[in-house]
Amino acid sequence: MAAVVAVKQKEKGPQCKLSTIINGQFMAVQMIGKGAYGVVYEVVRRNSPNTRFACKAELAIDHNNLKTEWDLMTLLKDNKSKHNIIGVELGSERNFNYIVMHLVGPSLSDLRKTVPNKTFTLFTTAVCAIQCFDSLVEIQRIGYIHRDVKPSNFAIGVLGSEEEKLVYVLDFGLCRNMFNKQKELRKPRMKAPFRGTILYCSLNIHQRMEPGRHDDFWSLLYMMIEFHLSDLPWENMSKEDTKKAKETKLDGLLARCPPEFRMIRCYLLTLTYSKEPDYVKLREVLCQIMTSKKFTPDMPLDWQKGGPCEAIFKPQAAVVKHKGTKKKVSLAELLDLPKPGGKVYTERDFPQPGEQEPMRDESVSKSDDTIIEKEGPPPAPKPVSKPVPPKPGVTMSLKPQLAQQRCSAEHKDLSTPPAIARSPIGQNTTMKPPVTAIPRPPIEKHSVRKAAPVAHSPRKSKSNTKVPPAH
Ligand SMILES: Nc1ncnc2c1ncn2[C@@H]1O[C@H](COP(=O)(O)OP(=O)(O)OP(=O)(O)O)[C@@H](O)[C@H]1O
């Protein structure tokens, strides 16, 4: 096995020495990013080095979370999803599990932070919102909720390619199946462990209510506000302060947004865990942002040629050959806007906050633990090849020690009742299960899954603290 490339991570923190051949076939050429639990590399196939893919790798000591991701990617593909990244290979190598998948472009988070004032035009905001919504509906239609909806979990296709208009959804690490084997909606737990990213999670999640389909859309609404107005005011606040700010500042924020944003908020307030969202209605309101302003799908997005930020973004398609859609991507088809003359919603069509209290779901499950255990991490990892310590010079930069911490934290989570994960993190970190004993970076900007957060920090300081999947 040849050690090939050595790319060093520029920033301080977790060492990310990279020089690896994956399954004898793929060669890592550079690190794209680092999440709370894994690393994503750009890789090439050795026998056709001109075509690039992405490879997401996680330590195999933990349960094989990537298998869950893979299964969802496959399911979505079988269901003809338009916004799903195509998986190429799931495997295990040395001490890590990996997925090789089609390479996409920058995330919506990276894009927004790059444009002036860190805001998208309303046209780009609306186009992204509709596509993000559609991608979440695709996931919900196959029975799952995403639970970690945030701009860094959506990406466009490679810049300069046909897919630069297409939004992909990433990272199914926190997805949860909403239905049992009898295809019935699972009973909500009385108190659900915190899972998600503080900056974008709904108030229901702050209150430890069972995450439902509507919670994915609350996060989408926060994303839209951020796209339109720039950073959310609760960025970098503590979890408690974030909750308060979401309660007190939302009215003020929405007052500066188009009326459709407020209609979505009012509609979401009427939903509960067990109530299926009216997807058609929600989509119509989103599309109305476009139609009311006479936006048309032939307009350029902020990063496209002819768009307001054209000069900032370098097309990559010519230099990075990647596997992707061969055919033309039509924004008109993707958006499928309602024909003129259809229903026009006004704010009066929706009960105002306070006018209608959401119904509480009554039939909660009496036991938190039952569901957590059932849903807990899949059985012990079954790496294709037995994990062995990485050889010098052939290293994926995931630290076994960290993974052990994460592993023990997961077990702890399963054996103890859900507790509040007290972390010194800001809001951008995805929250995982309770992790009291595990050292964390002061401001973790990743999603949190079930396991303890690993001690590495993101490639760039992200404001999206994830909490590990509490399932
Ligand atoms: N197929 C892909 N092609 C190109 N870039 C990708 C691909 N998949 C993921 N990425 C990028 O890799 C980075 C890390 O992704 P990952 O989902 O592991 O972590 P994250 O979402 O950033 O953090 P967290 O784990 O906390 O949610 C992100 O910037 C994402 O845009």
Side-chain angles (χ1 to χ4, degrees):
M1 185 178 305
V4 192
V5 186
V7 178
K8 275 194 183 163
Q9 194 187 4
K10 279 182 195 152
E11 69 229 47
K12 281 192 177 177
Q15 303 100 32
C16 225
K17 250 203 231 161
L18 170 66
S19 51
T20 215
I21 302 285
I22 300 152
N23 195 21
Q25 274 201 70
F26 296 98
M27 186 174 84
V29 291
Q30 68 166 317
M31 189 177 75
I32 298 174
K34 198 185 285 186
Y37 300 97
V39 186
V40 179
Y41 297 94
E42 189 173 317
V43 300
V44 293
R45 210 191 271 276
R46 288 173 83 194
N47 60 10
S48 76
N50 289 331
T51 311
R52 309 250 160 157
F53 298 87
C55 173
K56 182 168 183 175
E58 289 189 6
L59 271 175
I61 293 169
D62 211 340
H63 72 267
N64 193 346
N65 206 51
L66 291 183
K67 169 79 172 73
T68 319
E69 285 213 38
W70 175 265
D71 289 346
L72 258 169
M73 283 170 111
T74 311
L75 202 53
L76 283 165
K77 186 179 165 212
D78 293 347
N79 279 275
K80 311 230 175 315
S81 157
K82 289 179 183 164
H83 302 275
N84 171 42
I85 298 177
I86 303 295
V88 174
E89 186 171 307
L90 167 74
S92 300
E93 173 99 7
R94 297 181 292 278
N95 60 337
F96 57 89
N97 298 318
Y98 68 86
I99 288 179
V100 177
M101 59 188 140
H102 286 186
L103 183 75
V104 297
S107 72
L108 297 186
S109 169
D110 290 337
L111 289 164
R112 184 190 67 85
K113 288 175 186 161
T114 309
V115 299
N117 303 323
K118 294 200 273 181
T119 54
F120 290 142
T121 57
L122 186 57
F123 170 70
T124 295
T125 297
V127 169
C128 290
I130 294 168
Q131 294 198 56
C132 292
F133 173 82
D134 286 348
S135 73
L136 295 172
V137 174
E138 287 176 347
I139 291 169
Q140 295 190 5
R141 294 251 193 242
I142 58 167
Y144 286 79
I145 49 173
H146 189 281
R147 293 201 302 178
D148 198 18
V149 173
K150 58 180 179 180
S152 65
N153 279 341
F154 296 94
I156 57 165
V158 171
L159 278 166
S161 74
E162 270 296 310
E163 296 118 78
E164 68 177 354
K165 294 169 269 186
L166 180 57
V167 175
Y168 291 97
V169 57
L170 310 174
D171 199 349
F172 304 132
L174 282 181
C175 282
R176 175 181 162 96
N177 192 337
M178 301 211 55
F179 296 90
N180 62 20
K181 286 195 182 118
Q182 289 73 45
K183 308 263 184 260
E184 299 155 342
L185 190 69
R186 296 164 76 171
K187 283 191 175 175
R189 291 163 289 187
M190 283 197 287
K191 189 173 180 184
F194 190 96
R195 297 296 180 267
T197 298
I198 297 166
L199 182 57
Y200 300 99
C201 74
S202 73
L203 281 170
N204 301 330
I205 305 303
H206 279 282
Q207 290 156 8
R208 304 296 154 80
M209 291 168 75
E210 181 68 64
R213 292 161 282 198
H214 57 323
D215 294 304
D216 279 352
F217 300 132
W218 273 109
S219 303
L220 177 60
L221 179 62
Y222 293 136
M223 280 173 52
M224 289 165 59
I225 296 171
E226 190 180 53
F227 291 165
H228 187 57
L229 300 178
S230 191
D231 296 337
L232 293 166
W234 47 85
E235 181 151 10
N236 297 324
M237 283 186 194
S238 69
K239 203 195 293 182
E240 267 317 299
D241 289 345
T242 298
K243 178 171 173 279
K244 277 188 211 135
K246 284 178 187 168
E247 285 161 350
T248 56
K249 292 185 189 292
L250 189 59
D251 281 333
L253 293 170
L254 287 171
R256 295 157 54 206
C257 295
E260 288 78 13
F261 286 48
R262 294 189 288 280
M263 295 178 209
I264 291 168
R265 185 255 201 126
C266 290
Y267 177 65
L268 293 179
L269 280 173
T270 68
L271 296 179
T272 60
Y273 171 81
S274 55
K275 195 166 165 191
E276 188 183 21
D278 185 338
Y279 297 117
V280 174
K281 187 175 192 170
L282 266 170
R283 196 178 194 282
E284 282 172 351
V285 177
L286 283 169
C287 289
Q288 193 172 296
I289 305 173
M290 298 274 296
T291 50
S292 65
K293 293 274 187 269
K294 308 224 178 329
F295 294 149
T296 53
D298 55 356
M299 289 166 58
L301 291 156
D302 291 358
W303 47 86
Q304 282 193 282
K305 198 162 176 251
C309 308
E310 174 188 356
I312 301 174
F313 296 99
K314 260 203 201 146
Q316 293 292 305
V319 281
V320 178
K321 271 201 189 164
H322 61 287
K323 278 272 178 205
T325 332
K326 289 269 177 347
K327 59 178 186 183
K328 230 176 145 33
V329 176
S330 155
L331 200 52
E333 269 173 39
L334 276 174
L335 299 179
D336 190 21
L337 296 175
K339 305 265 174 308
K343 164 128 185 91
V344 177
Y345 292 94
T346 70
E347 292 185 60
R348 268 180 283 169
D349 291 320
F350 300 87
Q352 294 306 296
E355 280 179 17
Q356 182 180 338
E357 281 300 308
M359 306 269 289
R360 301 287 295 201
D361 293 299
E362 281 165 12
S363 57
V364 293
S365 161
K366 294 224 171 73
S367 155
D368 292 356
D369 294 344
T370 320
I371 292 182
I372 292 170
E373 280 173 26
K374 272 188 192 162
E375 265 219 319
K382 288 182 191 159
V384 176
S385 55
K386 204 179 166 195
V388 292
K391 291 176 189 164
V394 190
T395 319
M396 291 301 252
S397 66
L398 296 163
K399 293 181 178 177
Q401 184 204 357
L402 299 175
Q404 278 160 4
Q405 288 172 342
R406 170 181 168 184
C407 201
S408 63
E410 288 200 355
H411 290 154
K412 200 172 172 185
D413 185 46
L414 290 174
S415 56
T416 55
I420 297 175
R422 299 195 189 288
S423 68
I425 45 188
Q427 310 156 335
N428 304 330
T429 306
T430 304
M431 298 287 280
K432 295 189 179 179
V435 283
T436 41
I438 309 297
R440 289 185 148 180
I443 294 194
E444 178 61 72
K445 305 192 168 187
H446 285 287
S447 310
V448 183
R449 295 208 294 237
K450 196 157 195 144
V454 283
H456 61 229
S457 59
R459 124 188 99 143
K460 284 177 201 163
S461 166
K462 283 191 202 171
S463 52
N464 301 327
T465 301
K466 241 180 185 173
V467 181
H471 292 282

